[in-house]
Every structure is written in structure tokens, then in C-alpha cells.
Amino acid sequence: RKEVEQDPGPFNVPEGATVAFNCTYSNSASQSFFWYRQDCRKEPKLLMSVYSSGNEDGRFTAQLNRASQYISLLIRDSKLSDSATYLCVVNIPPSSGSARQLTFGSGTQLTVLP
Amino acid sequence: EPEVTQTPSHQVTQMGQEVILRCVPISNHLYFYWYRQILGQKVEFLVSFYNNEISEKSEIFDDQFSVERPDGSNFTLKIRSTKLEDSAMYFCASTGWTGGLAGELFFGEGSRLTVL
């Protein structure tokens, strides 16, 4: 099983649609979860952290299910500017050392159409 | 807003040549990272660096790779003898979290390496 697995898409949705992305992770000891956004040929940027209780930031809602080792991202009322690749990111506890590393999923590509 | 800066933005090199990619992390950050992304593929962890030493490295980070923080501001990635498969975008990142759970990584804009 891959450490972090995402549906690659692409998801092509009309403006205003609601779209949901899913992600599963394999290491049950993982403690931190994030959604990053990456525009074409640009660096990843943090979209939002994912908390155990679920959290919302405007049109974006993130959920975590530890029992199923599953993370989701919901985008409501999608905009053209939401077109990007969405990366599920999980911290993998280190085998040694103190700096935990983040492991990235392959990303889900979203295109919002006018 | 503080940012991570990387140079060069693009480097073309011949196979077998040495390459040094440079990064200036955000000034008060403590943890530094190199990631790479081969075109069309996922972002892959290479190495983390803390307190002037490597903290963790991946299988990709073999003897051809080394990192250094020579002067307290720059953080460099050296590839000793480049191979075709080293062609990728290399991202430097830093974070200010002081341990425990990982926090937000701030990425530079990347250095695109093309090996011919």
C-alpha cells in the first residue's frame, strides 16, 4: 500500500460545483495532515491543516477519519481560480532524528470550467 | 512576507557534472528540507537538516548528494556527478516549528535541473 494515496483525477467541474477529494494513508502513527495546493510548475503551498474534529476555511472543508486512515477535502462553490493540483500531505514519523518529514500524495488535478 | 529563495531558477548541465543548488530559508526557521519533483510525478522527500546536520534522508539521497549550511544563511544541495534521471525540479523548504508535530512547510519557487 502506498504511504499516501490519492485519486489522480482529473476532475473537470463547472464553476459553482461542489467537489470532494479523498486521500488514504498507510502509517497509523502519522499525526499531522495537510492539504497543499500546487499550481502548474509552481511550488506547493499550504491550503489548510486537517484537524481531528474537522475544520472549515471559507469554501474549503477538511475532514480526518483516523480509524479508516482517510482524509478528505471538500470545495464548495468552486471558482476558476481553484484550478490546480491538490496534494494530500501526511507526516511520517522518522526512523531516526528529530525532524519529521512530510510525505506527499501524487495529487489530484482539478480544472474548474467556465 | 518572508520567503524561501532559491537559485538558480533553471540549470542545464551535462551528465557527470557537479551541480550546486542554493537556498536561503526564512531567517528564523530551524528545519530545512530538500524535495524534488520529476516532471509529472509527485513531490519526493530527499533530506531534512537541523542543527547543522542531516536529520533524515530518503533512499533517493545517495552518496551522490550532499547538503551544507556553509554560512548560517545559505542551504545548499550538491549533486556530485549528475545523471539523466536527476532531471527534476528541486524544492527547498523550511519550517519554524520547534519539534513535535510537523507544521507548515514554506517552499521556495524551485530550481529546475536539466541533465543532458
Side-chain angles (χ1 to χ4, degrees):
Chain A
R1 185 178 175 184
K2 289 183 186 175
E3 287 182 308
V4 181
E5 196 155 2
Q6 294 182 250
D7 180 346
F11 284 63
N12 298 318
V13 302
E15 258 186 299
T18 296
V19 61
F21 305 136
N22 302 320
C23 170
T24 56
Y25 61 95
S26 61
N27 191 326
S28 59
S30 298
Q31 297 169 310
S32 302
F33 310 92
F34 308 89
W35 284 100
Y36 276 70
R37 169 192 169 131
Q38 186 175 28
D39 293 298
C40 187
R41 295 180 179 264
K42 297 284 190 180
E43 74 275 23
K45 290 186 178 178
L46 179 68
L47 178 66
M48 60 196 302
S49 302
V50 186
Y51 303 121
S52 296
S53 53
N55 49 301
E56 190 174 305
D57 182 3
R59 298 182 293 108
F60 299 84
T61 301
Q63 300 248 315
L64 167 64
N65 183 323
R66 285 189 187 271
S68 302
Q69 292 178 207
Y70 168 97
I71 305 156
S72 65
L73 176 69
L74 183 77
I75 306 176
R76 287 182 299 278
D77 187 24
S78 50
K79 314 286 185 196
L80 296 177
S81 56
D82 294 334
S83 297
T85 297
Y86 290 83
L87 308 173
C88 175
V89 183
V90 175
N91 96 297
I92 305 295
S95 55
S96 62
S98 61
R100 286 170 170 75
Q101 48 136 320
L102 297 184
T103 297
F104 286 72
S106 300
T108 299
Q109 188 180 336
L110 171 67
T111 302
V112 181
L113 304 168
Chain B
E1 184 180 322
E3 58 182 19
V4 176
T5 56
Q6 289 186 241
T7 54
S9 56
H10 188 193
Q11 181 155 356
V12 181
T13 190
Q14 295 290 325
M15 194 168 57
Q17 295 297 304
E18 177 183 284
V19 159
I20 297 176
L21 306 178
R22 292 183 169 78
C23 170
V24 179
I26 294 173
S27 62
N28 61 348
H29 282 185
L30 301 174
Y31 294 85
F32 315 116
Y33 303 80
W34 283 101
Y35 283 80
R36 81 168 186 193
Q37 187 173 33
I38 295 170
L39 188 64
Q41 298 187 25
K42 68 176 184 177
V43 177
E44 298 175 293
F45 170 75
L46 292 179
V47 65
S48 58
F49 193 86
Y50 171 70
N51 200 26
N52 284 320
E53 61 182 20
I54 289 174
S55 185
E56 191 89 7
K57 59 183 180 179
S58 71
E59 293 172 354
I60 303 168
F61 195 87
D62 62 21
D63 292 344
Q64 292 299 312
F65 290 88
S66 62
V67 289
E68 202 174 38
R69 191 161 156 79
D71 58 12
S73 62
N74 290 288
F75 178 50
T76 62
L77 174 70
K78 182 193 289 187
I79 309 174
R80 255 180 279 283
S81 177
T82 49
K83 303 188 282 287
L84 295 176
E85 54 264 37
D86 293 328
S87 295
M89 180 73 92
Y90 288 81
F91 291 109
C92 174
S94 69
T95 183
W97 60 278
T98 55
L101 301 182
E104 177 182 0
L105 286 185
F106 293 83
F107 284 86
E109 293 187 337
S111 293
R112 180 168 298 284
L113 175 64
T114 302
V115 182
L116 303 176

